[in-house]
Amino acid sequence: MARTRRPLIAGNWKMNGLKADGLALAKDVAAGVKQAGWFDREVLVCPPATLVMAVAEAAKGSGLLVGGEDCHAKASGAHTGDVSAEMLRDAGASHVIVGHSERRTDHGETDATVRAKAEAAWRAGLLPIVCIGETLAEREADRTLTVLETQLKGSVPAGATAAKLVVAYEPVWAIGTGKTPTTPEVAAAHAHIRKVLGGLMGDAAAVRLLYGGSVKGGNAAELLAAGDVDGALIGGASLKADEFLAIAKAA
Ligand code: PEP
């Protein structure tokens, strides 16, 4: 059967990168993407908001996509320090990560907040990458699939389609720890996510589901080959052009 879901390899730079090193990284990744000339996969970097515009400039003509790490639900207004989806779009972004576990933990974001942000992304013409994932305590209590279902039902807006949604499964305990679930565990989580999305959307066969959590050059091929995995969301390893490109190559 022909593959209908084009893999997406997305880098989340988090709060890393000043102008000089951020631009150098973006240029190296863009050069690698351009040289590879991939038509069968998409490569995205999500730098901090301060660098979105410059990275988008550096990526022009290379095929490298640029996204934001977060957005506010409102388009504009009295929200000091926040960045709207419209601003990200204006700066050259095409995607935005919403509901990353660090936002949920550090900023108390709830599923309802994440859902409003995903709707804001749509309003601005951005593709939201909605992040969900269980904590270690939830996994140890055998609650992983229930937690994922609750987060999906609360975070995915009505009206979602495969063209308007990417979901990233990121076990909280795997982010930045060097630990990963086994490939059968990843496959089971992704199969459940697709099933729940099917109930919400009618047909979720074409929705791209990314795995995130300690993906590196060395484990990417195995994790990306797990059932229902259509790409990866990468934190630490996206800060090294060679390693990030090696993951993209493995897709
Ligand atoms: C992330 O922050 O989304 C992430 C997956 O981080 P890391 O790859 O460093 O685990």
Side-chain angles (χ1 to χ4, degrees):
M1 191 174 62
R3 183 163 193 146
T4 54
R5 303 188 297 263
R6 190 142 60 127
L8 171 63
I9 300 300
N12 170 17
W13 291 6
K14 313 195 187 196
M15 198 170 71
N16 294 297
L18 300 180
K19 199 164 53 181
D21 52 319
L23 271 184
L25 173 60
K27 282 180 184 160
D28 286 349
V29 173
V33 168
K34 187 169 183 178
Q35 195 191 11
W38 287 307
F39 290 105
D40 58 349
R41 70 203 73 184
E42 292 179 336
V43 185
L44 166 76
V45 289
C46 300
T50 49
L51 291 181
V52 169
M53 194 180 286
V55 169
E57 273 300 312
K60 252 186 201 152
S62 69
L64 175 66
L65 302 166
V66 181
E69 296 179 9
D70 174 53
C71 66
H72 194 277
K74 297 267 169 58
S76 61
H79 303 287
T80 304
D82 281 311
V83 174
S84 71
E86 281 76 1
M87 289 168 172
L88 291 171
R89 171 84 194 223
D90 189 47
S94 53
H95 295 58
V96 63
I97 300 167
V98 294
H100 190 281
S101 71
E102 287 152 16
R103 300 288 316 175
R104 291 179 185 259
T105 305
D106 296 355
H107 300 271
E109 292 190 5
T110 63
D111 289 335
T113 320
V114 176
R115 182 189 181 109
K117 290 182 176 202
E119 283 169 343
W122 290 351
R123 186 189 61 221
L126 300 180
L127 180 56
I129 300 173
V130 176
C131 300
I132 57 170
E134 82 286 1
T135 62
L136 186 58
E138 288 163 343
R139 174 161 284 270
E140 285 175 350
D142 211 11
R143 295 191 53 239
T144 299
L145 301 186
T146 315
V147 167
L148 298 181
E149 184 160 348
T150 304
Q151 289 181 333
L152 281 173
K153 286 180 175 166
S155 307
V156 174
T161 63
K164 287 166 69 181
L165 178 73
V166 174
V167 172
Y169 167 53
E170 298 207 303
V172 178
W173 53 272
I175 295 177
T177 60
K179 296 180 188 153
T180 60
T182 63
T183 44
E185 285 169 343
V186 172
H190 280 230
H192 189 67
I193 290 167
R194 198 174 298 287
K195 187 173 138 215
V196 174
L197 284 175
L200 292 174
M201 300 165 51
D203 182 7
V207 179
R208 285 179 296 176
L209 309 182
L210 314 185
Y211 167 75
S214 295
V215 178
K216 313 267 178 240
N219 63 12
E222 192 185 343
L223 289 163
L224 286 163
D228 273 303
V229 174
D230 309 307
L233 181 55
I234 301 129
S238 73
L239 297 173
K240 293 181 202 131
D242 286 354
E243 186 149 15
F244 184 59
L245 289 165
I247 297 169
K249 199 171 167 196

